[in-house]
């Protein structure tokens, strides 16, 4: 019986040596092998390969997009007069609005008059330009079929 107990003690101690050798061998391959599982509480609480595991929401600070540039004012070129003082454009914003006289270089609703020709006026803002022509109808440009049908019915 004594021999039997002694052999059990010897086997257990050899197993401990073998385990420590295996632990050193594993630690060379993986440094985390030396750490105990109780050090990984968060990993145990939220397993890496669980379907319910999600990364924390990222906080992204984005600059708001710049405001789009304003559209050109709804001008109608009524007439152009050229004399010794240079060309002048007669414009209005609606059929009932008063006519306004503009010269080259003047501003109207933050748009600058770039050029005045006999039947057209060019206005610009920053890098954008818009051409306002005499005798042009925005309705005709948007829906030519409706305008031609209206003309036939008259």
């Amino acid at each position: 019986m004594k021999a039997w107990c002694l052999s059990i003690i010897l086997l257990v101690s050899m197993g401990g040596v073998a385990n420590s050798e295996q632990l050193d061998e594993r630690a060379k391959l993986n440094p985390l092998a030396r750490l105990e599982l109780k050090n990984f509480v968060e990993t145990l609480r939220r397993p890496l390969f669980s379907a319910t595991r999600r990364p924390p929401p990222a906080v992204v600070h984005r600059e708001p997009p710049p405001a789009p540039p304003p559209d050109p004012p709804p001008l109608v070129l009524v007439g152009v007069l050229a004399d010794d003082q240079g060309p002048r454009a007669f414009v209005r914003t609606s059929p009932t609005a008063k006519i306004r006289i503009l010269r080259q270089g003047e501003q109207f609703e933050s748009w600058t008059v770039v050029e005045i020709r006999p039947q057209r006026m060019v206005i610009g803002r920053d890098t954008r330009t818009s051409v306002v022509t005499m005798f042009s109808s925005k309705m005709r440009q948007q829906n030519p079929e409706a305008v031609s049908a209206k003309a036939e019915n008259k």
Side-chain angles (χ1 to χ4, degrees), residues 75-81 83 85-92 98-104 106-108 113 116 121:
L75 293 176
V76 176
L77 184 60
V78 178
V80 174
L81 175 67
D83 59 10
Q85 298 171 354
R88 290 177 284 195
F90 295 84
V91 297
R92 65 179 172 197
K98 289 185 177 180
I99 292 178
R100 181 161 175 188
I101 302 170
L102 297 174
R103 293 186 180 273
Q104 192 168 331
E106 288 184 0
Q107 286 200 343
F108 182 79
V113 178
I116 299 175
M121 176 179 72

Side-chain angles (χ1 to χ4, degrees), residues 46 53-58:
R46 294 181 347 146
R53 182 181 174 94
R54 298 282 182 256

Side-chain angles (χ1 to χ4, degrees), residues 4-145:
W4 188 73
C5 285
L6 188 58
S7 62
I8 290 178
I9 293 173
L10 184 63
L11 281 175
V12 170
S13 65
M14 285 179 63
V17 170
N19 282 344
S20 66
E21 286 176 9
Q22 285 178 347
L23 186 61
D24 288 338
E25 192 79 24
R26 281 189 288 158
K28 287 179 185 175
L29 298 174
N30 182 4
L32 296 177
R34 287 191 176 155
L35 300 175
E36 294 182 21
L37 199 54
K38 67 181 180 181
N39 295 337
F40 299 100
V41 175
E42 188 65 21
T43 304
L44 292 173
R45 193 173 66 76
R46 294 181 347 146
L48 286 175
F49 301 104
S50 171
T52 59
R53 182 181 174 94
R54 298 282 182 256
V59 179
V60 178
H61 297 286
R62 293 186 181 155
E63 294 288 325
D71 291 333
L75 293 176
V76 176
L77 184 60
V78 178
V80 174
L81 175 67
D83 59 10
D84 296 340
Q85 298 171 354
R88 290 177 284 195
F90 295 84
V91 297
R92 65 179 172 197
T93 55
S94 71
T96 58
K98 289 185 177 180
I99 292 178
R100 181 161 175 188
I101 302 170
L102 297 174
R103 293 186 180 273
Q104 192 168 331
E106 288 184 0
Q107 286 200 343
F108 182 79
E109 294 183 12
S110 73
W111 287 76
T112 305
V113 178
V114 177
E115 179 183 35
I116 299 175
R117 294 285 179 171
Q119 292 188 353
R120 72 183 182 116
M121 176 179 72
V122 179
I123 57 174
R125 179 180 176 160
D126 301 327
T127 59
R128 296 177 53 201
T129 60
S130 178
V131 178
V132 181
T133 57
M134 203 179 318
F135 309 118
S136 69
S137 170
K138 289 185 180 185
M139 184 180 203
R140 189 177 302 134
Q141 292 171 357
Q142 292 173 355
N143 192 354
E145 293 86 22

